[in-house]
DNA sequence: CTTAATCTCAACTAATTTAATAGACAATAA
DNA sequence: TTATTGTCTATTAAATTAGTTGAGATTAAG
């Protein structure tokens, strides 16, 4: 499951995508529109800003905007940034591979191959949709291979 | 990510599958072979027994065995039983659907359709492999549609 | 050059979930 | 009757997640 924080991050990014090219959006506006606790949102937006996906400016008339065009930000990217990996188990992660704790030797693992397949299918989908897509009902059914 | 408990459950079930048809396997044996804390394993095996996937007998020469042929137990089943759902968000679960907390209205949700796709692809894979499959390197590449 | 508006950041607290253990009890075979 | 093995509820411990506090740092405008 995605954490609450990751879900907030996704909604915040969608909001920024909606206002892309229209100047800075303030934290308070995002928080209200997306029902996110404002103080918690500062943590999330700071993280996203550090990652480069979001740009920001302080002071009067400051705010946040996408640091990268929405078409270049996939849902896969967002989840990777917020939770580190798309995989179901650490040893099946491509970008953040790690041994699973208390597990048998990786070579003897009987599910790793399967978990890698799941990860790849998941990545395939999540990386095919980006913040400029509408992601309505079945808008991307064709993207689903 | 799958919880440690779910991963232990999967390994325990693989172990039981290995000894399917060969009489009861004792908890202590599973614990040792699969490096699972024995007391914790009692909790896990009791849960699996209650679900019907595992059968058990108490007393001398007692133990556990599969209550269902290994070919009829998919990895999807195991994960559903242990964590309730295959989905990334509660609202994208098929069997355990639930509204996401602190979210916008489900109809206005911009990611639900995507999350449903991810869930379905995941289910597709996880339900196609069962405890009688070897799940080695690429043993199931053809299963991957 | 002061003020109000905004973001930044580290530290902290609270809540929840996950992992693991304890210990009394029930069933079974010998 | 005893040793063995699973069952169950409660409890504790550890880790993670969610959310808050409060003291800065920047910026635009007057």
């Amino acid at each position: 499951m995605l954490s609450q924080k990751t879900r907030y991050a996704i909604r915040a990014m969608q909001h920024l995508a909606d206002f892309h090219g229209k100047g800075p959006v303030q934290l308070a506006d995002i928080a209200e529109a997306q029902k996110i606790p404002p103080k918690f949102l500062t943590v999330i937006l700071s993280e996203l800003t550090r990652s480069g996906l979001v740009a920001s400016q302080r002071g009067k008339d400051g705010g946040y905007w996408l640091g990268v065009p929405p078409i270049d930000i996939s849902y896969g990217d967002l989840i990777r940034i917020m939770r580190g990996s798309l995989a179901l188990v650490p040893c099946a992660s491509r970008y953040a591979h790690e041994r699973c704790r208390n597990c048998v030797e990786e070579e003897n693992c009987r599910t790793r191959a399967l978990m890698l397949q799941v990860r790849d299918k998941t990545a395939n989908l999540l990386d095919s949709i980006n913040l400029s897509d509408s992601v309505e009902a079945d808008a991307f059914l064709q993207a689903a291979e």
Side-chain angles (χ1 to χ4, degrees), chain A:
Chain A
M1 287 272 172
L2 301 182
S3 67
Q4 190 66 37
K5 190 177 174 192
T6 300
R7 283 181 260 165
Y8 285 153
I10 289 174
R11 294 220 300 281
M13 291 299 278
Q14 287 172 335
H15 192 90
L16 289 182
D18 289 343
F19 290 87
H20 184 57
K22 297 181 183 155
V25 184
Q26 283 150 22
L27 189 142
D29 294 343
I30 305 174
E32 191 186 15
Q34 301 295 327
K35 296 202 219 160
I36 304 173
K39 268 298 192 178
F40 196 23
L41 186 54
T42 64
V43 176
I44 294 166
L45 284 173
S46 294
E47 234 171 285
L48 290 167
T49 302
R50 274 196 296 274
S51 83
L53 290 190
V54 168
S56 66
Q57 181 164 32
R58 300 199 251 200
K60 196 155 200 229
D61 302 325
Y64 299 89
W65 61 94
L66 294 184
V68 168
I71 201 174
D72 291 326
I73 304 176
S74 74
Y75 284 87
D77 294 333
L78 293 180
I79 296 175
R80 273 188 214 95
I81 281 180
M82 296 309 292
R83 84 163 188 183
S85 167
L86 258 34
L88 284 178
V89 287
C91 76
S93 172
R94 298 273 185 205
Y95 291 103
H97 178 276
E98 219 179 303
R99 277 199 140 68
C100 301
R101 259 166 309 166
N102 298 315
C103 198
V104 295
E105 288 304 301
E106 216 163 89
E107 304 74 42
N108 303 334
C109 177
R110 325 249 299 264
T111 44
R112 200 164 102 85
L114 174 59
M115 295 302 165
L116 277 166
Q117 290 270 332
V118 172
R119 200 265 29 153
D120 286 346
K121 283 271 180 196
T122 302
N124 223 34
L125 263 171
L126 291 176
D127 287 337
S128 74
I129 313 290
N130 60 64
L131 285 180
S132 75
D133 292 320
S134 74
V135 195
E136 292 304 330
D138 41 23
F140 59 91
L141 280 181
Q142 63 277 37
E145 177 193 1

